[in-house]
Amino acid sequence: MELSSDLWEHISYTLADHPPSLCLLSKSSSKLRELVKFVVGHYEAHLHVTFPKEECCEVEKSSKEKVQFEMILNRKGSYRRGKAHCHSIFTCVAEKTQGAVEDLLELFSKELITLRFNNCSKESDVFTVFNKFSLSNCEDICFNGSIPMHNGVFDLFQSCPNAKRLVISNPQSETDFTQFWPKLKGSRIETLDLMDIESFHHSSTREFKLPQSMKQLFFSPKQDVECRNSENVAKLLYSANWKRVYIHSETVLEAVNSGLYKPLKTVTEFCFSSKAFTVDYVISFLKKCERVNSFNWYGLHSCVAPIVIARLLTDVPRNIVFGGCVACKSGETVGNGGFMEVGNRVDVIQVTKLLEREEFRVQYGRTLSDAVLFERPFNTNSVSVMYIQKKDSVCGPNCIDIHEISEKAGLLLSAY
């Protein structure tokens, strides 16, 4: 009997590479269903549902024939038995999509971590099935290629009560976001990623409300395309209590600045990337953020970082940790020339090379290639900027605890 049980378990693990077979096996008998659930419980599941596009006369159209499913299973760390990684792709006719989703959710609802929907029609009814399930472990929901607006989208978010991240990628240019935001009511989404946005259109001019759980916003327009209606990002910033804001476009930031009419009182971290040295846009935005204590400028060359440091010291009246820059071709960071550049632009400064301090170097010497504290000690509103640069020249302050490093440097930041 023990041998038979092991044999069935081996078969089940083999079938993990093909979830539809697991679904069929689980329907064969109650005992097999228990065995399949036991096997499924060893994995974390990621489900991608794609409505394929067909090319006809160089015009893309959503296929009405078949829907593609992609299931990725990664074995949980606490289990040793079974395949470590299973990746399967299968299809079904569009009319049976609901049934296929329901079968998969019956088996994997407790193990699903990620849900991704590609090119889904705005009128699709695939989401109506979600009101039958609770996906308590689902953390990420992604809509790519289009955003569904009706028929169960609200139920989807309600069935994922612990979802923390929503990704909207490459939506259709005519998308009206005004219709979508109400679907998030009652959700606990913390992070909103808006990627490859061609138009941020809203049919209503009123400000909208997002879940107060939202803390991080990432906005990136489609590459080499001017994002239309980007001034609506300003309304988005007023719609929730954001703490971290990432804007990856100088033209979007310019449009945002034009739409900001009152301070952003909750933003504490701002990240920016731009091909142009648009420091005026940055300073204008930071002036609207009363509590920013961390600023990253991804990709900025360290040779021009002193100009930014000087502007922060003179124009933004608060202590800030600044980073995200990449070393210039010479391999140097801010260096002595940078100190002189800041000194020429700021009346009186005090410069401390933090990596020359033994206790600081012991803790951060392996991580940082530069750490310099710039202070205006005799100014009535004393302001300090700590410039840090990672050795891998990839990330800035958000890769380390900025409160910990600032405390080590003797820099007092505003409360988070």
Side-chain angles (χ1 to χ4, degrees):
M1 191 70 181
E2 186 70 31
L3 179 64
S4 176
S5 176
D6 285 346
L7 177 62
W8 275 115
E9 193 172 330
H10 174 73
I11 293 173
S12 298
Y13 279 122
T14 303
L15 290 173
D17 250 341
H18 194 243
S21 297
L22 278 179
C23 292
L24 291 173
L25 189 63
S26 70
K27 292 181 178 182
S28 301
S29 71
S30 58
K31 289 186 177 180
L32 287 179
R33 184 174 182 81
E34 290 178 8
L35 178 59
V36 170
K37 284 192 172 183
F38 169 76
V39 172
V40 168
H42 284 51
Y43 292 94
E44 291 180 344
H46 307 266
L47 176 63
H48 300 180
V49 183
T50 301
F51 293 78
K53 289 185 176 182
E54 294 179 346
E55 293 188 7
C56 177
C57 304
E58 299 181 350
V59 176
E60 292 185 341
K61 296 182 179 180
S62 295
S63 172
K64 296 181 180 180
E65 299 300 322
K66 288 189 177 181
V67 174
Q68 176 179 286
F69 292 85
E70 182 177 3
M71 178 72 85
I72 301 168
L73 301 178
N74 293 318
R75 193 177 62 212
K76 295 175 182 176
S78 56
Y79 295 99
R80 293 184 178 180
R81 192 161 186 175
K83 294 184 66 174
H85 177 82
C86 302
H87 186 182
S88 57
I89 296 176
F90 46 97
T91 62
C92 77
V93 293
E95 290 77 9
K96 296 184 178 180
T97 303
Q98 266 189 302
V101 171
E102 187 168 357
D103 285 348
L104 290 171
L105 292 182
E106 282 183 357
L107 274 187
F108 295 97
S109 59
K110 293 182 180 180
E111 322 306 333
L112 270 172
I113 304 297
T114 304
L115 277 171
R116 180 184 176 101
F117 301 93
N118 301 314
N119 310 325
C120 190
S121 166
K122 289 195 298 184
E123 307 298 332
S124 173
D125 58 1
V126 68
F127 302 103
T128 56
V129 72
F130 281 89
N131 62 12
K132 300 179 182 179
F133 300 93
S134 175
L135 282 61
S136 57
N137 291 316
C138 184
E139 299 174 353
D140 292 2
I141 299 174
C142 176
F143 299 113
N144 176 58
S146 63
I147 309 178
M149 299 291 186
H150 309 292
N151 300 334
V153 178
F154 176 79
D155 294 330
L156 168 65
F157 287 103
Q158 295 304 302
S159 69
C160 303
N162 298 313
K164 296 293 186 288
R165 181 171 177 243
L166 170 62
V167 180
I168 296 174
S169 174
N170 192 30
Q172 296 170 344
S173 59
E174 67 274 13
T175 299
D176 180 7
F177 285 85
T178 300
Q179 297 181 39
F180 179 75
W181 302 129
K183 312 299 180 188
L184 302 180
K185 185 177 181 180
S187 74
R188 299 177 185 174
I189 299 293
E190 295 180 0
T191 298
L192 175 62
D193 290 0
L194 298 169
M195 305 170 65
D196 294 328
I197 306 298
E198 187 175 339
S199 174
F200 198 47
H201 170 62
H202 289 72
S203 58
S204 174
T205 58
R206 295 181 180 180
E207 290 183 10
F208 42 87
K209 289 186 178 181
L210 293 177
Q212 293 306 295
S213 57
M214 285 193 170
K215 304 301 179 190
Q216 179 171 303
L217 171 66
F218 179 98
F219 190 95
S220 176
K222 185 172 288 188
Q223 193 171 7
D224 300 324
V225 175
E226 185 172 349
C227 181
R228 303 192 305 277
N229 307 299
S230 55
E231 67 279 359
N232 287 322
V233 177
K235 287 196 293 187
L236 185 65
L237 290 173
Y238 288 131
S239 67
N241 295 323
W242 306 107
K243 287 189 174 182
R244 295 171 295 278
V245 174
Y246 298 68
I247 296 179
H248 287 251
S249 165
E250 66 271 13
T251 56
V252 171
L253 186 58
E254 181 184 20
V256 168
N257 285 336
S258 67
L260 294 177
Y261 61 91
K262 61 182 179 181
L264 296 167
K265 297 182 178 181
T266 60
V267 178
T268 58
E269 180 178 324
F270 175 49
C271 296
F272 180 61
S273 69
S274 167
K275 295 179 181 179
F277 185 59
T278 48
V279 67
D280 288 336
Y281 299 165
V282 168
I283 296 300
S284 178
F285 182 77
L286 289 175
K287 284 182 176 180
K288 288 289 187 181
C289 302
E290 298 178 338
R291 297 180 59 207
V292 161
N293 53 34
S294 173
F295 169 49
N296 285 1
W297 190 328
Y298 292 117
L300 183 73
H301 280 206
S302 58
C303 60
V304 293
I307 300 174
V308 179
I309 294 168
R311 291 293 300 276
L312 292 173
L313 286 168
T314 56
D315 296 349
V316 183
R318 71 186 72 93
N319 296 337
I320 289 179
V321 178
F322 167 49
C325 304
V326 296
C328 295
K329 292 181 179 179
S330 62
E332 296 178 357
T333 55
V334 170
N336 293 325
F339 305 153
M340 293 176 61
E341 178 68 32
V342 177
N344 290 336
R345 294 171 178 268
V346 182
D347 293 337
V348 179
I349 60 166
Q350 179 176 313
V351 179
T352 305
K353 299 179 180 181
L354 295 170
L355 288 176
E356 291 183 357
R357 294 180 181 177
E358 179 62 24
E359 73 281 3
F360 196 94
R361 185 173 64 253
V362 168
Q363 189 165 354
Y364 298 106
R366 294 183 178 180
T367 310
L368 302 178
S369 60
D370 210 352
V372 185
L373 183 62
F374 297 86
E375 301 173 273
R376 300 177 68 186
F378 306 116
N379 191 269
T380 53
N381 295 317
S382 179
V383 177
S384 301
V385 173
M386 179 164 59
Y387 173 83
I388 65 174
Q389 185 169 310
K390 295 267 294 179
K391 282 190 174 180
D392 57 13
S393 296
V394 174
C395 297
N398 66 333
C399 288
I400 55 178
D401 186 325
I402 65 167
H403 290 277
E404 177 187 280
I405 194 172
S406 61
E407 183 179 346
K408 199 77 173 177
L411 178 67
L412 180 64
L413 299 178
S414 60
Y416 192 78

